């Protein structure tokens, strides 16, 4: 058994499941919202899907990504950004459907895009390192 | 120990995200926020006629200073209630806050606020406490002068003579509105200059369906119409804004304005709820609101 490989799910699977859950939540919520919809909630499934696309492409381009510390940091930044933007979008949708607003929602977007920017910087550094090798 | 080292950051991030999200939800929907007055205007000084012993029936009230009659009607399978109000003084068109306090997330049912103020007739107001923006003037006192953005900014002004007018908050500062007795911030305007100003596509925010509605309009000098419709039930689907505007026009309103609807729509007459307010889906129950209009 010592030679058996540790099983790994495909990278994209978790993101697709998250996007599906977002879509299902939106559908269920709309059933109780008397036809009131919000573009923020309707589009929140895009964030995990976009994150999955970015991470999958990076892993495909740089297979060593999963093993290196910088690679794991990149994935953490992308995941964190996706979590913040999805949650912010969900909350924005909930308050919009209720007919109100909250100034406390903007930090989700600010931090989300900041993490996404940090992921981009990390990805550029990873790319440069690969070229040098 | 290795597991904590490996996933500690993720766990901490998740806990912080959840905690902040719960805080945002509580702040938006639950935590009451204190009262504040931004400006004080002089109250109306009109004089009411002498009151006589009130004559009250199930659908009418008259006491020499005000006459109110309630009519129930149907349009396209939706039941709606029309209150025809004639006053002798503009200061008989009054408003009241839940718990007599201005602020966010301070709520009571329309019937409770009506009872606290001895109202003969009351309808729900604009639920100002659900938003941070929109002008709020009540009984001559200004509470909020934050304008909403263009496109969603029609406010109803009731002046100290009891006359209605519509302003756009993005174009008219509250300080420029003279003799404001009441200012409501919901909308949209239904009728201006005796013309319907909504169409079949008009809606409140993203809602594109029929709903319970509340509207107030002016027919003539100290003569008003309040309409509340049922909705969201099998027995009564609700009204579109265009249908509501048409009802107000048919009743002779020269100016009419849409107040908060949906589960908030409530009419109280002589201590009893007249309509079938819906809360939490199609459950027949009054929703707690920020404010009422009462006579």
């Amino acid at each position: 058994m010592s030679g058996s490989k540790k099983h790994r799910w495909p990278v994209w699977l978790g993101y697709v499941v998250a996007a599906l859950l977002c879509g299902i939540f939106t559908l269920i919520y709309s059933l109780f919202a008397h036809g009131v919809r919000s573009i923020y909630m309707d589009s929140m499934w895009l964030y995990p899907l976009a994150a999955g696309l970015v991470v999958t492409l990076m892993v495909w381009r740089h297979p060593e990504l999963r093993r290196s510390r910088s690679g794991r940091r990149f994935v953490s930044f992308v995941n964190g950004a996706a979590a913040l933007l999805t949650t912010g979008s969900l909350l924005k949708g909930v308050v919009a459907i209720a007919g109100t607003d909250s100034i406390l929602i903007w930090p989700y977007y600010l931090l989300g895009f900041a993490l996404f920017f940090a992921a981009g910087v990390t990805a550029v550094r990873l790319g440069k390192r690969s070229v040098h090798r | 120990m290795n597991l904590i080292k490996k996933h500690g950051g993720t766990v901490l991030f998740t806990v912080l995200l959840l905690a902040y999200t719960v805080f945002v939800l509580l702040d938006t929907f639950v935590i009451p926020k204190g009262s504040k007055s931004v400006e004080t205007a002089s109250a109306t000084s009109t004089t009411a006629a002498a009151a006589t012993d009130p004559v009250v029936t199930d659908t009418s009230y008259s006491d020499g200073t005000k006459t109110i009659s309630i009519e129930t009607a149907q349009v396209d399978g939706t039941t709606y209630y029309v209150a025809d109000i004639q006053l002798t003084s503009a200061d008989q068109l009054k408003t009241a806050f839940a718990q007599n306090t201005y602020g966010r997330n301070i709520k009571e049912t329309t019937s409770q606020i009506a009872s606290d103020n001895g109202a003969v007739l009351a309808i729900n107001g604009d639920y100002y406490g659900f938003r941070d923006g929109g002008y709020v003037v009540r009984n001559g006192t200004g509470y909020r002068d934050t304008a909403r953005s263009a496109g969603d900014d029609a406010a109803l002004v009731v002046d100290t003579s009891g006359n209605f007018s519509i302003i756009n908050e993005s174009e008219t500062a509250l300080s420029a509105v003279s003799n404001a007795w009441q200012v409501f911030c919901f909308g949209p305007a239904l009728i201006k200059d005796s013309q319907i100003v909504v169409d079949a596509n008009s809606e409140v925010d993203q809602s594109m369906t029929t709903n319970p509605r509340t509207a107030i309009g002016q027919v003539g000098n100290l003569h008003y119409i309040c309409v509340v419709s049922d909705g969201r039930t099998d027995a009564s689907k609700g009204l579109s804004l265009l249908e509501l505007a048409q009802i107000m026009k048919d009743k002779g309103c020269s100016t009419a304005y849409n107040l908060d609807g949906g589960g908030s729509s409530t009419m109280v007459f002589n201590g009893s709820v007249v309509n079938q307010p819906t809360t939490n889906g199609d459950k027949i129950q009054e929703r707690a609101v920020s404010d009422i209009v009462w006579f």
Side-chain angles (χ1 to χ4, degrees):
Chain A
M1 293 298 282
S2 59
S4 68
K5 275 189 172 178
K6 188 184 171 186
H7 177 73
R8 278 196 164 177
W9 297 106
V11 173
W12 51 266
L13 188 62
Y15 298 99
V16 170
V17 169
L20 278 173
L21 287 174
C22 288
I24 291 167
F25 181 89
T26 302
L27 282 176
I28 293 172
Y29 201 87
S30 68
L31 292 177
F32 297 95
H34 306 290
V36 185
R37 301 187 73 94
S38 164
I39 185 71
Y40 298 100
M41 192 179 284
D42 287 349
S43 60
M44 71 173 175
W45 60 274
L46 285 170
Y47 294 112
L49 212 60
L53 189 68
V54 168
V55 172
T56 304
L57 283 174
M58 280 298 285
V59 169
W60 173 70
R61 185 81 175 80
H62 306 284
E64 75 283 2
L65 195 82
R66 284 175 147 185
R67 291 185 295 275
S68 73
R69 181 178 285 183
S70 298
R72 286 200 297 273
R73 191 180 301 146
F74 166 77
V75 174
S76 294
F77 283 154
V78 173
N79 289 348
L84 282 163
L85 293 171
T86 306
T87 312
S89 216
L90 167 69
L91 277 178
K92 185 87 178 156
V94 168
V95 299
I97 286 170
T100 182
D101 201 0
S102 172
I103 198 168
L104 298 174
I105 292 174
W106 70 264
Y108 288 99
Y109 290 94
L110 186 74
L111 286 174
F113 285 114
L115 280 182
F116 203 73
F117 178 75
V121 171
T122 312
V124 170
R125 282 184 177 170
L126 277 168
K128 279 182 181 170
R129 209 173 293 168
S130 298
V131 170
H132 287 306
R133 278 177 194 159
Chain B
M1 207 60 185
N2 203 23
L3 205 66
I4 294 172
K5 195 176 174 184
K6 195 175 176 186
H7 297 291
T10 307
V11 171
L12 182 66
F13 176 83
T14 307
V15 168
L16 287 173
L17 185 61
L18 282 174
Y20 185 70
T21 301
V22 169
F23 171 72
V24 172
L25 287 170
L26 288 173
D27 179 79
T28 307
F29 296 110
V30 181
I31 299 169
K33 288 172 197 162
S35 60
K36 187 182 79 164
S37 175
V38 294
E39 123 190 29
T40 303
S42 56
T44 183
S45 58
T46 49
T47 309
T52 57
D53 287 339
V55 178
V56 184
T57 70
D58 286 348
T59 57
S60 68
Y61 175 97
S62 179
D63 68 1
T65 67
K66 57 178 172 269
T67 304
I68 299 169
S69 62
I70 308 282
E71 173 197 347
T72 304
Q74 282 218 330
V75 60
D76 199 17
T78 293
T79 305
Y80 63 94
Y81 311 86
V82 182
D84 189 304
I85 305 120
Q86 288 200 285
L87 308 177
T88 51
S89 170
D91 60 5
Q92 291 173 305
L93 194 169
K94 292 183 180 173
T95 52
F97 293 135
Q99 299 171 35
N100 202 25
T101 304
Y102 169 80
R104 273 196 83 156
N105 295 324
I106 298 169
K107 299 177 280 187
E108 273 184 319
T109 60
T110 299
S111 59
Q112 183 60 53
I113 309 173
S115 170
D116 292 345
N117 289 277
V120 176
L121 174 80
I123 56 170
N124 63 287
D126 60 4
Y127 212 148
Y128 73 88
F130 217 50
R131 299 171 297 281
D132 287 319
Y135 297 163
V136 179
V137 176
R138 298 302 148 88
N139 304 326
T141 301
Y143 290 90
R144 190 164 70 195
D145 56 2
T146 315
R148 290 170 291 164
S149 52
D152 185 28
D153 63 335
L156 173 67
V157 177
V158 183
D159 68 22
T160 50
S161 299
N163 292 320
F164 286 15
S165 60
I166 306 291
I167 60 163
N168 289 100
E169 294 173 4
S170 59
E171 296 167 5
T172 309
L174 184 59
S175 56
V177 180
S178 57
N179 300 322
W181 174 236
Q182 318 283 355
V183 178
F184 299 100
C185 58
F186 198 87
L190 301 170
I191 298 175
K192 274 162 75 171
D193 301 324
S194 301
Q195 299 297 314
I196 291 177
V197 290
V198 289
D199 58 32
N201 295 319
S202 300
E203 249 311 333
V204 177
D205 292 333
Q206 307 87 348
S207 180
M208 289 303 292
T209 183
T210 53
N211 268 307
R213 305 282 185 186
T214 300
I216 188 167
Q218 182 180 19
V219 177
N221 187 35
L222 300 178
H223 185 187
Y224 309 99
I225 294 287
C226 294
V227 169
V228 167
S229 81
D230 290 336
R232 296 180 177 174
T233 66
D234 293 337
S236 207
K237 67 183 174 70
L239 298 175
S240 68
L241 286 175
L242 182 58
E243 288 171 326
L244 182 64
Q246 191 60 58
I247 291 169
M248 301 303 277
K249 186 166 172 57
D250 292 345
K251 293 293 170 188
C253 292
S254 54
T255 304
Y257 187 77
N258 181 54
L259 292 169
D260 186 23
S264 300
S265 284
T266 308
M267 180 182 283
V268 175
F269 180 64
N270 278 332
S272 301
V273 176
V274 174
N275 65 315
Q276 303 279 301
T278 52
T279 300
N280 300 329
D282 55 3
K283 191 177 172 186
I284 306 299
Q285 186 186 324
E286 263 191 279
R287 173 196 278 175
V289 295
S290 295
D291 58 315
I292 64 165
V293 182
W294 67 277
F295 303 89

